[in-house]
Amino acid sequence: MNKDIPNLSRRRFLASSAAALGFPSIIPATALGKGGRPAPSERITVGAIGWGTIAGDWTPSFLNNDKCQVVAVADPMKEYGHYGYDGKETGGREAGRKIIDAHYSQAAKKPVKTCTAYADFREMMDKEDLDAVQVSTPDHWHAYMAIYAARKGKHIYGQKPLALTIAEGRRMSDEVAKAGVTWQTGSQQRSDQYFRLACEMTQNGRIGKLKRVRVGLPGGHTNWNGMADQVNPAPLPPDFDYEMWLGPAEYIDYRPALLPLNWRHNFNFSGGMITDFGAHHIDIAQWGMGTQLTGPVELRNVSGTMDTKALYNTASEFSFECVYENGLVMHVASPKHKLMPEVEAVLATPNSKKSFDHVGVMFEGDDGKWIYVNRGKITASSPEILREKTRPEEIHLYESKDHTDNFLSCIYDGKPTATPIEVSHRSITIAHLANIALRSGSTGLKWDPKTETIADNAAASRLLSKEWRKPWAL
């Protein structure tokens, strides 16, 4: 060990550095018999499961929050490049550990080692005194890890999309409810003022009666890791437990084209852009429609472009309509379908350097009135629609200004988060149904949101769930 680095136990460091920096004490809630809910005077201990692109982006929001301390990270990859949305970042447990230790060393103004790295998340949860975990893994791991953590009484920040299948999502929601732990889905648009405003104005009738919703999602197969052409089996990166990375997923030989992040384009691990961004924008549509605890009764006019024999076998282009029990229709499509010409006409300017991409959510009401929202942008058919403030007697939607802080605060007080698991399950179910229709060759599906069953389509019904690879079972 470097003689300049104090040989402190993590608990001693947490206690001493917390006091020095004015942080709350880090006495574990479980030791005080409080059923896993710390008092506001206690710091929440967090373990990061998975350290890749999304963990690199979102763990800083935990590191910079005085209510918690990240004390451990688990990932089957030790350290490897090609992470990030530009393929230039480094991922793996050692990369995470270095970032976490560097952050707390800077805060303590002296070198400290406070984070432990593990190859197996189960070992981390067994050895570390954790209050909460952040699950930032590929989608095929979400259900297993969430259920495992819930049964151990850990509060969970689970990145989206919620699960790989509808059956997994249902099981996750039930297990979290049974365990009584706090859950926050990483659908951070719920903590964005533009999205909340669009949904609140829609629910309060600023555009009249809601007639139709249009949801534009990105398409294609983005080559984030820069290795999309390396589709043949290849030697494993050093210090990488690929068997552990696969976990409950069906076995497929390692190939660089899948790792990191490009796994999103393979149905063994994810659902393509329909689930990846559908988890965001379909969720906002559900919020604005007031249907966040139910779903459509029918999918119709389902079409898409996909190569089932390719490594990237998810849909690159797609379009489908969701019909709700009250007759409301939500149309979801990739940019190719140019779903929002009205918005394009409003946003188009002579000096615009970027054309409108038809991605976002548009709520359409009476007499040509509409509201459109996307990240960093909100507009309407008339400026007056967004100017009138919500009156006291009107609907006021859940307000969160910081998604991570909302999660941590709810751990303390036991209140629901901005994105509870049942809400996320209902939203991502719609994206899964679209993929089920495409994969089963169906142009439409009849769906019962109460029983969560598909009527009169055996091929589609078989895709509601997926068997986990042995020996993985819970």
Side-chain angles (χ1 to χ4, degrees):
M1 176 181 290
N2 188 321
K3 65 180 181 180
D4 296 325
I5 299 176
N7 185 17
L8 297 176
S9 72
R10 184 159 49 261
R11 280 289 169 199
R12 284 178 58 205
F13 167 74
L14 293 176
S16 61
S17 64
L21 297 171
F23 292 158
S25 156
I26 199 160
I27 301 169
T30 50
L32 302 179
K34 296 184 179 178
R37 293 217 174 269
S41 60
E42 299 160 9
R43 246 175 144 201
I44 296 165
T45 51
V46 179
I49 306 178
W51 192 277
T53 300
I54 196 66
D57 281 357
W58 275 96
T59 305
S61 68
F62 287 88
L63 296 175
N64 291 308
N65 194 302
D66 293 349
K67 294 173 182 172
C68 74
Q69 180 136 354
V70 184
V71 299
V73 59
D75 195 295
M77 179 79 77
K78 184 177 181 182
E79 198 164 18
Y80 188 60
H82 302 283
Y83 284 85
Y85 294 107
D86 58 2
K88 296 179 181 179
E89 297 177 14
T90 302
R93 60 186 179 274
E94 279 300 306
R97 184 193 61 76
K98 291 174 184 177
I99 289 172
I100 294 166
D101 277 348
H103 174 87
Y104 291 123
S105 293
Q106 184 178 19
K109 297 182 180 180
K110 59 182 178 182
V112 295
K113 289 187 176 181
T114 181
C115 178
T116 304
Y118 296 88
D120 191 326
F121 71 95
R122 296 168 299 181
E123 183 182 7
M124 180 186 78
M125 278 203 265
D126 287 343
K127 289 185 176 180
E128 298 289 334
D129 189 0
L130 301 175
D131 296 310
V133 294
Q134 178 196 189
V135 178
S136 304
T137 65
D139 306 357
H140 70 279
W141 262 117
H142 288 182
Y144 192 101
M145 290 177 176
I147 295 168
Y148 190 91
R151 290 182 179 180
K152 285 187 171 289
K154 311 302 180 186
H155 306 290
I156 307 161
Y157 187 108
Q159 292 293 351
K160 59 84 210 166
L162 184 70
L164 189 64
T165 68
I166 293 174
E168 285 183 359
R170 167 48 52 214
R171 189 176 177 191
M172 290 167 69
S173 186
D174 292 347
E175 291 272 359
V176 166
K178 181 180 178 181
V181 297
T182 294
W183 175 281
Q184 177 83 294
T185 308
S187 300
Q188 71 272 14
Q189 291 180 172
R190 291 254 178 169
S191 294
D192 181 284
Q193 61 177 342
Y194 284 162
F195 288 102
R196 181 175 56 81
L197 177 62
C199 294
E200 198 165 273
M201 294 299 96
T202 297
Q203 287 208 26
N204 284 312
R206 296 294 190 273
I207 58 175
K209 184 178 180 180
L210 184 60
K211 296 292 185 65
R212 190 177 182 87
V213 181
R214 308 182 209 178
V215 178
L217 305 180
H221 292 141
T222 304
N223 183 20
W224 291 292
N225 69 22
M227 300 184 290
D229 59 335
Q230 300 181 43
V231 297
N232 295 323
L236 294 175
D239 297 308
F240 176 37
D241 187 345
Y242 181 59
E243 178 67 26
M244 184 66 189
W245 185 91
L246 281 173
E250 181 181 345
Y251 185 85
I252 179 175
D253 288 329
Y254 167 78
R255 51 207 72 199
L258 281 177
L259 290 162
L261 200 56
N262 288 12
W263 47 260
R264 284 180 175 175
H265 308 317
N266 184 283
F267 279 123
N268 201 30
F269 312 111
S270 186
M273 296 311 295
I274 291 179
T275 58
D276 181 56
F277 235 91
H280 286 305
H281 285 340
I282 292 175
D283 179 61
I284 294 301
Q286 286 265 99
W287 201 17
M289 289 188 288
T291 57
Q292 57 183 356
L293 290 177
T294 183
V297 295
E298 180 185 4
L299 264 68
R300 69 187 187 192
N301 299 324
V302 181
S303 64
T305 302
M306 51 195 290
D307 184 351
T308 58
K309 296 181 180 179
L311 185 64
Y312 297 163
N313 56 9
T314 59
S316 56
E317 301 292 345
F318 47 85
S319 176
F320 57 94
E321 293 179 329
C322 303
V323 184
Y324 288 76
E325 193 170 26
N326 63 0
L328 188 62
V329 175
M330 176 176 66
H331 188 179
V332 183
S334 52
K336 168 186 172 181
H337 296 272
K338 296 187 179 298
L339 207 55
M340 308 169 197
E342 301 93 334
V343 182
E344 183 174 30
V346 169
L347 294 180
T349 62
N351 298 322
S352 177
K353 295 181 180 180
K354 185 178 180 181
S355 61
F356 181 62
D357 58 6
H358 291 266
V359 171
V361 183
M362 176 181 172
F363 299 102
E364 182 181 355
D366 293 318
D367 303 322
K369 295 179 181 179
W370 51 263
I371 296 174
Y372 165 81
V373 64
N374 198 6
R375 295 182 178 183
K377 171 67 70 173
I378 185 169
T379 190
S381 52
S382 173
E384 289 74 22
I385 291 174
L386 300 175
R387 287 176 182 164
E388 185 180 352
K389 293 184 178 180
T390 306
R391 297 184 295 274
E393 72 275 11
E394 291 187 305
I395 295 170
H396 291 254
L397 297 180
Y398 191 115
E399 184 173 3
S400 163
K401 297 180 180 179
D402 183 311
H403 215 57
T404 302
D405 189 70
N406 175 250
F407 168 62
L408 297 171
S409 296
C410 290
I411 290 177
Y412 285 130
D413 60 31
K415 295 179 180 178
T417 63
T419 318
I421 191 167
E422 181 66 21
V423 167
S424 299
H425 169 60
R426 295 293 182 168
S427 294
I428 201 60
T429 287
I430 299 169
H432 287 317
L433 286 171
N435 274 333
I436 286 172
L438 290 170
R439 297 178 72 185
S440 63
S442 308
T443 58
L445 297 174
K446 298 290 186 180
W447 174 248
D448 187 336
K450 296 183 180 68
T451 62
E452 299 189 351
T453 54
I454 296 170
D456 304 321
N457 191 325
S461 295
R462 282 193 291 271
L463 295 173
L464 290 170
S465 62
K466 183 177 182 180
E467 186 177 350
W468 287 343
R469 185 170 64 103
K470 295 178 180 179
W472 295 99
L474 281 172

PDB file of all heavy atoms in Angstrom, residues 84-102:
ATOM      1  N   GLY A  84     -19.180   4.543 -23.225  1.00  0.00           N
ATOM      2  CA  GLY A  84     -19.658   5.899 -23.474  1.00  0.00           C
ATOM      3  C   GLY A  84     -20.365   6.004 -24.813  1.00  0.00           C
ATOM      4  O   GLY A  84     -20.245   5.135 -25.673  1.00  0.00           O
ATOM      5  N   TYR A  85     -21.114   7.087 -24.986  1.00  0.00           N
ATOM      6  CA  TYR A  85     -21.857   7.274 -26.233  1.00  0.00           C
ATOM      7  C   TYR A  85     -20.955   7.686 -27.391  1.00  0.00           C
ATOM      8  O   TYR A  85     -21.397   7.782 -28.534  1.00  0.00           O
ATOM      9  CB  TYR A  85     -22.970   8.305 -26.026  1.00  0.00           C
ATOM     10  CG  TYR A  85     -24.033   7.811 -25.075  1.00  0.00           C
ATOM     11  CD1 TYR A  85     -24.148   8.320 -23.794  1.00  0.00           C
ATOM     12  CD2 TYR A  85     -24.907   6.793 -25.451  1.00  0.00           C
ATOM     13  CE1 TYR A  85     -25.115   7.844 -22.905  1.00  0.00           C
ATOM     14  CE2 TYR A  85     -25.871   6.308 -24.577  1.00  0.00           C
ATOM     15  CZ  TYR A  85     -25.963   6.846 -23.305  1.00  0.00           C
ATOM     16  OH  TYR A  85     -26.909   6.363 -22.440  1.00  0.00           O
ATOM     17  N   ASP A  86     -19.670   7.910 -27.092  1.00  0.00           N
ATOM     18  CA  ASP A  86     -18.690   8.171 -28.146  1.00  0.00           C
ATOM     19  C   ASP A  86     -17.653   7.062 -28.240  1.00  0.00           C
ATOM     20  O   ASP A  86     -16.740   7.117 -29.065  1.00  0.00           O
ATOM     21  CB  ASP A  86     -17.986   9.505 -27.905  1.00  0.00           C
ATOM     22  CG  ASP A  86     -17.286   9.572 -26.548  1.00  0.00           C
ATOM     23  OD1 ASP A  86     -17.318   8.562 -25.801  1.00  0.00           O
ATOM     24  OD2 ASP A  86     -16.717  10.620 -26.219  1.00  0.00           O
ATOM     25  N   GLY A  87     -17.790   6.018 -27.397  1.00  0.00           N
ATOM     26  CA  GLY A  87     -16.859   4.893 -27.420  1.00  0.00           C
ATOM     27  C   GLY A  87     -15.477   5.226 -26.884  1.00  0.00           C
ATOM     28  O   GLY A  87     -14.542   4.438 -27.049  1.00  0.00           O
ATOM     29  N   LYS A  88     -15.326   6.359 -26.186  1.00  0.00           N
ATOM     30  CA  LYS A  88     -14.003   6.806 -25.761  1.00  0.00           C
ATOM     31  C   LYS A  88     -13.800   6.742 -24.244  1.00  0.00           C
ATOM     32  O   LYS A  88     -12.752   7.159 -23.746  1.00  0.00           O
ATOM     33  CB  LYS A  88     -13.759   8.234 -26.254  1.00  0.00           C
ATOM     34  CG  LYS A  88     -13.734   8.346 -27.776  1.00  0.00           C
ATOM     35  CD  LYS A  88     -13.508   9.787 -28.214  1.00  0.00           C
ATOM     36  CE  LYS A  88     -13.503   9.891 -29.745  1.00  0.00           C
ATOM     37  NZ  LYS A  88     -13.303  11.298 -30.186  1.00  0.00           N
ATOM     38  N   GLU A  89     -14.794   6.241 -23.526  1.00  0.00           N
ATOM     39  CA  GLU A  89     -14.673   6.177 -22.075  1.00  0.00           C
ATOM     40  C   GLU A  89     -14.210   4.788 -21.625  1.00  0.00           C
ATOM     41  O   GLU A  89     -14.274   3.823 -22.391  1.00  0.00           O
ATOM     42  CB  GLU A  89     -16.013   6.518 -21.420  1.00  0.00           C
ATOM     43  CG  GLU A  89     -16.477   7.938 -21.711  1.00  0.00           C
ATOM     44  CD  GLU A  89     -17.831   8.240 -21.114  1.00  0.00           C
ATOM     45  OE1 GLU A  89     -18.291   7.448 -20.263  1.00  0.00           O
ATOM     46  OE2 GLU A  89     -18.442   9.249 -21.502  1.00  0.00           O
ATOM     47  N   THR A  90     -13.766   4.692 -20.395  1.00  0.00           N
ATOM     48  CA  THR A  90     -13.320   3.425 -19.816  1.00  0.00           C
ATOM     49  C   THR A  90     -14.354   2.937 -18.814  1.00  0.00           C
ATOM     50  O   THR A  90     -14.848   3.705 -17.997  1.00  0.00           O
ATOM     51  CB  THR A  90     -11.961   3.590 -19.119  1.00  0.00           C
ATOM     52  OG1 THR A  90     -11.017   4.078 -20.071  1.00  0.00           O
ATOM     53  CG2 THR A  90     -11.480   2.255 -18.567  1.00  0.00           C
ATOM     54  N   GLY A  91     -14.682   1.649 -18.911  1.00  0.00           N
ATOM     55  CA  GLY A  91     -15.639   1.054 -17.995  1.00  0.00           C
ATOM     56  C   GLY A  91     -15.021  -0.079 -17.214  1.00  0.00           C
ATOM     57  O   GLY A  91     -13.831  -0.370 -17.328  1.00  0.00           O
ATOM     58  N   GLY A  92     -15.852  -0.775 -16.428  1.00  0.00           N
ATOM     59  CA  GLY A  92     -15.362  -1.866 -15.600  1.00  0.00           C
ATOM     60  C   GLY A  92     -15.209  -1.427 -14.149  1.00  0.00           C
ATOM     61  O   GLY A  92     -15.134  -0.233 -13.841  1.00  0.00           O
ATOM     62  N   ARG A  93     -15.135  -2.403 -13.260  1.00  0.00           N
ATOM     63  CA  ARG A  93     -15.155  -2.126 -11.827  1.00  0.00           C
ATOM     64  C   ARG A  93     -13.966  -1.294 -11.358  1.00  0.00           C
ATOM     65  O   ARG A  93     -14.104  -0.452 -10.469  1.00  0.00           O
ATOM     66  CB  ARG A  93     -15.230  -3.434 -11.027  1.00  0.00           C
ATOM     67  CG  ARG A  93     -14.070  -4.400 -11.241  1.00  0.00           C
ATOM     68  CD  ARG A  93     -14.295  -5.719 -10.519  1.00  0.00           C
ATOM     69  NE  ARG A  93     -13.213  -6.665 -10.721  1.00  0.00           N
ATOM     70  CZ  ARG A  93     -13.148  -7.503 -11.764  1.00  0.00           C
ATOM     71  NH1 ARG A  93     -14.096  -7.493 -12.687  1.00  0.00           N
ATOM     72  NH2 ARG A  93     -12.124  -8.336 -11.872  1.00  0.00           N
ATOM     73  N   GLU A  94     -12.781  -1.507 -11.944  1.00  0.00           N
ATOM     74  CA  GLU A  94     -11.621  -0.726 -11.516  1.00  0.00           C
ATOM     75  C   GLU A  94     -11.738   0.721 -11.969  1.00  0.00           C
ATOM     76  O   GLU A  94     -11.324   1.642 -11.262  1.00  0.00           O
ATOM     77  CB  GLU A  94     -10.328  -1.352 -12.046  1.00  0.00           C
ATOM     78  CG  GLU A  94      -9.840  -2.521 -11.215  1.00  0.00           C
ATOM     79  CD  GLU A  94      -9.565  -2.104  -9.770  1.00  0.00           C
ATOM     80  OE1 GLU A  94      -8.799  -1.147  -9.542  1.00  0.00           O
ATOM     81  OE2 GLU A  94     -10.132  -2.741  -8.852  1.00  0.00           O
ATOM     82  N   ALA A  95     -12.318   0.922 -13.149  1.00  0.00           N
ATOM     83  CA  ALA A  95     -12.549   2.292 -13.611  1.00  0.00           C
ATOM     84  C   ALA A  95     -13.499   3.001 -12.660  1.00  0.00           C
ATOM     85  O   ALA A  95     -13.282   4.163 -12.289  1.00  0.00           O
ATOM     86  CB  ALA A  95     -13.125   2.269 -15.026  1.00  0.00           C
ATOM     87  N   GLY A  96     -14.551   2.294 -12.241  1.00  0.00           N
ATOM     88  CA  GLY A  96     -15.495   2.875 -11.297  1.00  0.00           C
ATOM     89  C   GLY A  96     -14.878   3.160  -9.954  1.00  0.00           C
ATOM     90  O   GLY A  96     -15.082   4.230  -9.364  1.00  0.00           O
ATOM     91  N   ARG A  97     -14.097   2.188  -9.460  1.00  0.00           N
ATOM     92  CA  ARG A  97     -13.469   2.364  -8.142  1.00  0.00           C
ATOM     93  C   ARG A  97     -12.549   3.584  -8.140  1.00  0.00           C
ATOM     94  O   ARG A  97     -12.550   4.377  -7.183  1.00  0.00           O
ATOM     95  CB  ARG A  97     -12.670   1.121  -7.764  1.00  0.00           C
ATOM     96  CG  ARG A  97     -12.056   1.181  -6.372  1.00  0.00           C
ATOM     97  CD  ARG A  97     -11.022   0.081  -6.151  1.00  0.00           C
ATOM     98  NE  ARG A  97      -9.906   0.171  -7.090  1.00  0.00           N
ATOM     99  CZ  ARG A  97      -8.919   1.055  -6.995  1.00  0.00           C
ATOM    100  NH1 ARG A  97      -8.912   1.948  -6.007  1.00  0.00           N
ATOM    101  NH2 ARG A  97      -7.954   1.061  -7.884  1.00  0.00           N
ATOM    102  N   LYS A  98     -11.788   3.762  -9.200  1.00  0.00           N
ATOM    103  CA  LYS A  98     -10.860   4.898  -9.276  1.00  0.00           C
ATOM    104  C   LYS A  98     -11.610   6.229  -9.257  1.00  0.00           C
ATOM    105  O   LYS A  98     -11.193   7.187  -8.592  1.00  0.00           O
ATOM    106  CB  LYS A  98     -10.014   4.788 -10.538  1.00  0.00           C
ATOM    107  CG  LYS A  98      -9.012   3.646 -10.529  1.00  0.00           C
ATOM    108  CD  LYS A  98      -8.311   3.523 -11.867  1.00  0.00           C
ATOM    109  CE  LYS A  98      -7.367   2.321 -11.895  1.00  0.00           C
ATOM    110  NZ  LYS A  98      -6.738   2.160 -13.248  1.00  0.00           N
ATOM    111  N   ILE A  99     -12.704   6.292  -9.999  1.00  0.00           N
ATOM    112  CA  ILE A  99     -13.484   7.531 -10.045  1.00  0.00           C
ATOM    113  C   ILE A  99     -14.093   7.846  -8.685  1.00  0.00           C
ATOM    114  O   ILE A  99     -14.072   8.984  -8.219  1.00  0.00           O
ATOM    115  CB  ILE A  99     -14.578   7.420 -11.129  1.00  0.00           C
ATOM    116  CG1 ILE A  99     -13.939   7.445 -12.518  1.00  0.00           C
ATOM    117  CG2 ILE A  99     -15.617   8.532 -10.990  1.00  0.00           C
ATOM    118  CD1 ILE A  99     -14.892   7.157 -13.654  1.00  0.00           C
ATOM    119  N   ILE A 100     -14.623   6.809  -8.037  1.00  0.00           N
ATOM    120  CA  ILE A 100     -15.253   7.003  -6.730  1.00  0.00           C
ATOM    121  C   ILE A 100     -14.218   7.428  -5.686  1.00  0.00           C
ATOM    122  O   ILE A 100     -14.425   8.389  -4.935  1.00  0.00           O
ATOM    123  CB  ILE A 100     -15.986   5.719  -6.296  1.00  0.00           C
ATOM    124  CG1 ILE A 100     -17.158   5.457  -7.245  1.00  0.00           C
ATOM    125  CG2 ILE A 100     -16.465   5.826  -4.853  1.00  0.00           C
ATOM    126  CD1 ILE A 100     -17.752   4.072  -7.134  1.00  0.00           C
ATOM    127  N   ASP A 101     -13.081   6.725  -5.644  1.00  0.00           N
ATOM    128  CA  ASP A 101     -12.039   7.089  -4.677  1.00  0.00           C
ATOM    129  C   ASP A 101     -11.482   8.485  -4.952  1.00  0.00           C
ATOM    130  O   ASP A 101     -11.206   9.249  -4.017  1.00  0.00           O
ATOM    131  CB  ASP A 101     -10.904   6.061  -4.710  1.00  0.00           C
ATOM    132  CG  ASP A 101     -11.204   4.823  -3.870  1.00  0.00           C
ATOM    133  OD1 ASP A 101     -12.185   4.865  -3.097  1.00  0.00           O
ATOM    134  OD2 ASP A 101     -10.473   3.830  -3.996  1.00  0.00           O
ATOM    135  N   ALA A 102     -11.332   8.828  -6.221  1.00  0.00           N
ATOM    136  CA  ALA A 102     -10.813  10.157  -6.566  1.00  0.00           C
ATOM    137  C   ALA A 102     -11.764  11.254  -6.096  1.00  0.00           C
ATOM    138  O   ALA A 102     -11.334  12.304  -5.600  1.00  0.00           O
ATOM    139  CB  ALA A 102     -10.592  10.268  -8.076  1.00  0.00           C
TER     140      ALA A 102
END
